Amino acid sequence: MKPEIGREERLFRAVFPSIVWDEEHNRPSSALFKDKRGVSVDRDGGCTEEEVVSRFQDRFGVEKVKAVVYVEAGFCMDIGAHLVYCPSRRNPYHAEIHDSPSKTMLSNAKARKLALHCAVVYRA
């Protein structure tokens, strides 16, 4: 996988029961995109949505994954977020969404934009 994240890539995030879900609009709250260590996501890496969901369920447990959503890398770039590819031995698809090259945690405004723009691909 290329180290540069392309605009056309989709970045997937698992949603756990602790995240507030907006039932009316069928999406997570902006809290899903707030993490002082950076927003952990998986690059699609050419995999299908079903394969990505299965990877999350295998890694975290079926009962712990409430939903899976994605945002387009291009949208992240358009709102000024900084994308960082940081694969590990366990997860070659791992990346993070940061606020900027010098600030890890996303601003409230960027987190809200991502929550409003994300697409749900799986919901338990």
Side-chain angles (χ1 to χ4, degrees), residues 44-72:
D44 60 41
C47 298
T48 66
E49 291 175 356
E50 293 79 15
E51 290 169 324
V52 173
V53 170
S54 181
R55 278 198 323 250
F56 281 130
Q57 291 174 331
D58 290 346
R59 193 170 32 204
F60 302 117
V62 173
E63 68 286 347
K64 291 186 180 179
V65 178
K66 176 179 182 175
V68 175
V69 302
Y70 77 83
V71 293
E72 295 96 357

Side-chain angles (χ1 to χ4, degrees), residues 41-111:
V41 294
D42 274 12
R43 297 170 70 177
D44 60 41
C47 298
T48 66
E49 291 175 356
E50 293 79 15
E51 290 169 324
V52 173
V53 170
S54 181
R55 278 198 323 250
F56 281 130
Q57 291 174 331
D58 290 346
R59 193 170 32 204
F60 302 117
V62 173
E63 68 286 347
K64 291 186 180 179
V65 178
K66 176 179 182 175
V68 175
V69 302
Y70 77 83
V71 293
E72 295 96 357
F75 181 79
C76 294
M77 294 170 187
D78 290 346
I79 66 169
H82 179 67
L83 304 178
V84 181
Y85 179 42
C86 39
S88 67
R89 282 181 288 180
R90 226 176 115 223
N91 184 5
Y93 303 99
H94 185 254
E96 292 178 356
I97 304 171
H98 293 185
D99 191 78
S100 70
S102 61
K103 182 181 172 197
T104 306
M105 188 174 199
L106 287 175
S107 68
N108 291 339
K110 287 178 186 173

